[in-house]
Amino acid sequence: MNIILNGNNKSLQKPSSILDLLKSLELMPETVVVELNTTIIQPNSYDATQFAEGDRVEIIRFVGGG
Amino acid sequence: MFQSPDFKQLSAQIRCATSESVEQALSATRLRLHDLAALLSPAATPYLQQMAVRSSEITITRFGKTTQLYAPIYLSNYCTNRCVYCGFSADNRIKRKCLTLDEAEKEAMILHDRGFQHILLVSGEAVNAVGIEYMEAIALRLRDKFAAVSIEIQPMSTEHYHRLFLAGITAVAVYQETYNRDIYKTVHLSGKKSDYDYRLETPARVARAGMREVGIGALLGLADWRAEGLAIGHHLDWLRKQFWSTAFTISFPRMRPATGEFEPLEIVTESNLSQLIFALRLFDQDVGLIVSTREEARYRDGMLGLGPTRYSAGSCTAPGGYGNSDADAEQFSVGDHRSLEEVCTVIRSKGFDPVYKDWDCGFQTTY
Amino acid sequence: MLCIAGTEFRSRLFLGTGKFSSSTVMAKAIEASDCQMITVALRRVDLENPDDDIMKALSQREYTFLPNTSGARNADEAIRLAHIARAASGSSWLKLEVTPDPRTLLPDPVETLFATEKLVKDGFIVLPYMNADPILALKLQDAGAAAVMPLGSPIGTNQGVLTDFQVAIIIEQARVPVVVDAGIGAPSHAAYAMEMGADAVLVNTAISVAGDPVAMAAAFAKAVEAGRTAYIAGMGQKSKHASASSPESGQLSSDLGFLA
């Protein structure tokens, strides 16, 4: 299925949870915030939340800024 | 809630001031409370002339070469308080009168025809005579006839002040009389006015209710006038922080003979009064400073342009006194007996413009 | 001690973490500054570089993090970023930054006030970045802002406190701490802001793009301390008038001969 990840199309080879995606991206779950269709997902739901076709996902973290 | 500083500490702080601190205060662009203390101190007495110059510069820059005029109307001398210094004290045997709405309107129109556009409605504290309904009614009658109607009556609740604001009242004056708690207790024997804290919180209630202008002050002659000045400074400072869109004025009622023959506890000379006015002008460049007809004509003429921004004129302090020159039972005797025209002639001769109207209550939010 | 929203800060220098050449330099500069409050921004993770994480160099145990909403062009975007920030940091501290014009990065007063009202109601500790408008500062305080952050000059311009006249008014009227933020380009600017009575300053560009950011951070720390000490010590006022003007020099006679 296709999702939109950080503004770009991404195709998922098999049904995935948020946790699966983070692992595949080599991102530690506790270092990011995940927004699914503009709703912030709590980290304890990463494992249980499965993607659907066309989902918009934002993965955000702190960066340097003034 | 405003916490008035301990009066003795204020006096002590003032007496510690040196001529160095006075000079610093005189050259400061933004004065703080310790600068006000210095300017109120005995150390500032030799600097009175310089204070006058500085006060004049600030006043003219901020207010222009103008003097606002108003007149008081005494609605009623009924009073349930016993204040030892006041002609209207419940203890005094005077002829009590409360104007009916028609009589009050008639008095007001006399002033209107003389040229006043700003009037101050005054009364003793007796809610049966002058309560919220009466005040609302008189405000509604007068708001279309005057540019500004202020009041100086008993303290009210925020809710009542808001009703009066909607009815057309633009400003409320309420003086703490003295910020010295101990003396306050000894001069306010009974009645609601004997509650120091309720009175102290009143200016905040007025501002919270949305009134455009709040007047504060102390009755000079009850306690150390220097400490009163510093207390007024503290109060004004606090009020400005809490109510940044409200205008403020300070009045300087100075003890004069009154029925009941109360002797002032402290002597406050004209020189003291001027020092107080100049000090507060330097401390706060925007506060209105009001000098009433309690003061002599000579004094008021001399002070034009030096700090005060608003004068009453042609005043009568007895209810019904404009229409009936036989009316007695004044609250205090007047020092400047001149008519509005006479006062304005002097104002103009000094190169100043008498201002009858500074705001129009017609612009004010209404029901 | 500086106190904002019940938290005490020994240091009155806040640091931004942007524009540093590397995380290592950034961390060293922060340490040299002795600051306790640092700002961070929120951006999409760079999926090509998953390890690039500023949090590896910084600890929330040592510093209070002040996430900003930089990039937001309106209140809605800022509010959305605020919630993400809270999720990321676990705290409610927020530097509200609404900058619709990417060239000047000047803050939108209307959106900032609107967002402040909403975010305060939602339990955020809001420190709004604003132009040095005294009325706006009062309104933000009325809305519940925990501090106000007027700019000295636009972000990154290093022009100093060009808004000093208005910042002085803001300081005089403020009921909450005033943090001069943006445009502070030199330690002397920081000292100047503190001498005026500012409660703290926030510095970013001047340190991160300095030749030696670590040394510059230390210099700023000294400047902030010097300025604050001077303010407390009570500086001699500059005088715009000669004292003891003679009565003849004024247009109106200030002769007090009339006094009884």
Side-chain angles (χ1 to χ4, degrees):
Chain A
M1 72 169 82
N2 280 318
I3 60 171
I4 301 165
L5 172 60
N6 283 3
N8 295 314
N9 279 323
K10 180 157 180 81
S11 119
L12 300 174
Q13 303 306 359
K14 54 182 168 67
S16 306
S17 68
I18 292 177
L19 189 60
D20 294 330
L21 177 63
L22 292 177
K23 278 190 180 148
S24 76
L25 295 168
E26 292 173 35
L27 290 169
M28 312 257 283
E30 59 274 10
T31 67
V32 299
V33 172
V34 178
E35 231 197 13
L36 177 58
N37 299 322
T38 74
T39 302
I40 297 171
I41 306 300
Q42 294 303 317
N44 53 22
S45 303
Y46 286 172
D47 200 11
T49 310
Q50 298 278 330
F51 291 115
E53 179 70 35
D55 271 347
R56 306 186 79 90
V57 188
E58 298 284 345
I59 305 181
I60 297 161
R61 63 165 36 136
F62 282 141
V63 300
Chain B
M1 298 260 296
F2 175 61
Q3 306 292 336
S4 63
D6 178 70
F7 204 80
K8 289 194 184 65
Q9 275 178 21
L10 294 178
S11 291
Q13 180 186 3
I14 288 167
R15 272 165 225 294
C16 280
T18 61
S19 50
E20 283 80 38
S21 54
V22 175
E23 284 178 10
Q24 249 222 323
L26 279 171
S27 58
T29 30
R30 201 165 27 117
L31 275 74
R32 306 245 161 74
L33 284 160
H34 65 261
D35 295 306
L36 176 59
L39 294 175
L40 290 167
S41 73
T45 313
Y47 295 86
L48 196 64
Q49 181 72 62
Q50 279 152 256
M51 286 174 69
V53 170
R54 189 76 195 101
S55 175
S56 176
E57 277 171 1
I58 294 168
T59 307
I60 292 176
T61 301
R62 175 61 186 79
F63 291 89
K65 290 187 151 190
T66 65
T67 304
Q68 299 166 14
L69 278 316
Y70 75 98
I73 299 180
Y74 279 71
L75 300 171
S76 159
N77 57 15
Y78 281 96
C79 196
T80 52
N81 294 315
R82 287 159 64 218
C83 308
V84 303
Y85 51 78
C86 178
F88 292 175
S89 170
D91 279 346
N92 288 347
R93 289 192 180 290
I94 55 171
K95 199 153 144 232
R96 302 283 173 175
K97 182 162 177 64
C98 177
L99 303 182
T100 63
L101 292 174
D102 286 341
E103 286 171 335
E105 195 177 341
K106 215 161 141 224
E107 282 280 280
M109 290 317 289
I110 293 172
L111 291 177
H112 177 273
D113 295 341
R114 287 184 190 172
F116 287 102
Q117 293 196 44
H118 178 186
I119 55 172
L120 172 71
L121 305 177
V122 189
S123 77
E125 174 155 11
V127 288
N128 294 332
V130 173
I132 181 66
E133 288 82 14
Y134 176 101
M135 288 307 304
E136 247 177 343
I138 193 69
L140 287 169
R141 284 200 192 198
L142 297 179
R143 73 177 298 165
D144 292 331
K145 304 188 164 66
F146 292 92
V149 182
S150 312
I151 61 175
E152 187 185 324
I153 61 175
Q154 70 274 17
M156 293 183 140
S157 65
T158 309
E159 190 212 324
H160 282 180
Y161 282 132
H162 189 63
R163 279 169 66 177
L164 292 181
F165 173 71
L166 293 176
I169 301 299
T170 53
V172 177
V174 56
Y175 312 137
Q176 189 60 17
E177 315 296 7
T178 176
Y179 285 84
N180 180 320
R181 270 188 194 270
D182 299 326
I183 293 185
Y184 191 96
K185 224 189 290 192
T186 64
V187 299
H188 299 110
L189 301 177
S190 69
K192 215 162 164 208
K193 194 162 173 180
S194 58
D195 185 341
Y196 178 98
D197 292 297
Y198 185 72
R199 195 167 184 89
L200 189 67
E201 260 308 283
T202 308
R205 289 198 302 278
V206 174
R208 203 168 291 128
M211 288 286 178
R212 290 184 61 84
E213 184 186 277
V214 179
I216 63 174
L219 181 55
L220 302 170
L222 291 177
D224 173 13
W225 64 268
R226 302 174 196 271
E228 300 281 26
L230 189 52
I232 289 170
H234 276 268
H235 203 179
L236 179 63
D237 199 52
W238 182 90
L239 285 164
R240 280 213 190 279
K241 274 264 166 77
Q242 302 302 317
F243 306 104
W244 53 268
S245 58
T246 307
F248 292 94
T249 60
I250 303 173
S251 292
F252 301 90
R254 187 166 68 113
M255 293 272 224
R256 304 279 297 185
T259 316
E261 286 149 26
F262 177 76
E263 280 297 312
L265 301 173
E266 300 260 333
I267 303 299
V268 183
T269 65
E270 283 185 354
S271 182
N272 296 152
L273 175 57
S274 293
Q275 185 177 348
L276 176 59
I277 289 173
F278 300 152
L280 285 165
R281 170 56 69 226
L282 268 63
F283 175 66
D284 190 313
Q285 308 205 340
D286 304 295
V287 68
L289 298 177
I290 306 177
V291 177
S292 74
T293 53
R294 278 188 194 246
E295 301 300 332
E296 310 272 324
R298 166 196 43 79
Y299 179 77
R300 300 210 311 161
D301 290 351
M303 285 297 280
L304 280 171
L306 299 191
T309 55
R310 193 183 296 170
Y311 279 6
S312 51
S315 306
C316 181
T317 69
Y322 294 114
N324 175 12
S325 52
D326 284 338
D328 54 5
E330 302 175 306
Q331 188 191 27
F332 59 82
S333 25
V334 163
D336 180 350
H337 295 269
R338 294 174 298 176
S339 68
L340 174 64
E341 263 155 40
E342 288 170 301
V343 172
C344 287
T345 302
V346 174
I347 291 173
R348 282 188 204 102
S349 74
K350 297 214 159 196
F352 275 60
D353 189 23
V355 170
Y356 303 99
K357 169 172 161 165
D358 190 45
W359 167 247
D360 205 313
C361 53
F363 295 140
Q364 198 160 298
T365 309
T366 182
Y367 295 110
Chain C
M1 273 285 230
L2 170 62
C3 185
I4 303 179
T7 303
E8 288 192 330
F9 297 89
R10 154 186 51 72
S11 165
R12 292 173 181 271
L13 173 60
F14 300 168
L15 241 61
T17 53
K19 302 182 192 172
F20 281 94
S21 55
S22 73
S23 288
T24 319
V25 173
M26 176 199 73
K28 284 199 177 127
I30 290 173
E31 199 187 355
S33 75
D34 201 29
C35 76
Q36 295 172 290
M37 177 97 96
I38 59 173
T39 60
V40 289
L42 289 161
R43 289 293 180 272
R44 285 169 167 165
V45 169
D46 178 1
L47 299 169
E48 309 294 314
N49 293 300
D51 278 343
D52 184 13
D53 185 0
I54 195 184
M55 301 303 284
K56 288 189 177 144
L58 297 169
S59 162
Q60 271 190 274
R61 269 176 287 113
E62 287 177 62
Y63 304 100
T64 301
F65 273 45
L66 189 63
N68 69 31
T69 60
S70 72
R73 292 160 307 164
N74 57 47
D76 281 340
E77 290 179 357
I79 291 167
R80 185 174 160 202
L81 280 167
H83 284 98
I84 294 171
R86 187 151 64 178
S89 70
S91 92
S92 295
W93 287 86
L94 187 79
K95 174 180 166 181
L96 176 62
E97 213 176 301
V98 186
T99 51
D101 181 349
R103 280 176 55 233
T104 62
L105 293 174
L106 287 168
D108 183 320
V110 177
E111 298 293 299
T112 299
L113 179 58
F114 185 66
T116 298
E117 285 165 352
K118 292 222 139 161
L119 290 167
V120 166
K121 286 200 179 102
D122 213 350
F124 284 89
I125 302 170
V126 182
L127 281 68
Y129 169 60
M130 50 170 284
N131 211 323
D133 176 345
I135 302 290
L136 178 59
L138 290 166
K139 294 198 127 176
L140 288 167
Q141 286 169 78
D142 288 348
V148 290
M149 313 235 285
L151 60 88
S153 49
I155 293 171
T157 57
N158 289 345
Q159 293 286 316
V161 192
L162 297 181
T163 54
D164 49 2
F165 193 82
Q166 264 135 261
V167 168
I169 297 173
I170 293 173
I171 290 170
E172 193 186 329
Q173 297 185 303
R175 286 168 278 144
V176 299
V178 178
V179 182
V180 177
D181 175 21
I184 296 187
S188 55
H189 299 161
Y192 180 47
M194 298 307 294
E195 286 161 15
M196 275 183 0
D199 295 283
V201 299
L202 202 162
V203 182
N204 193 165
T205 306
I207 292 174
S208 54
V209 307
D212 181 348
V214 178
M216 187 59 80
F220 267 97
K222 289 185 177 141
V224 168
E225 207 191 314
R228 178 68 182 173
T229 308
Y231 173 73
I232 301 292
M235 309 206 313
Q237 298 277 349
K238 285 188 228 175
S239 180
K240 289 198 169 90
H241 0 263
S243 46
S245 315
S246 60
E248 289 77 47
S249 68
Q251 302 107 308
L252 191 74
S253 168
S254 313
D255 179 14
L256 297 175
F258 64 89
L259 289 173

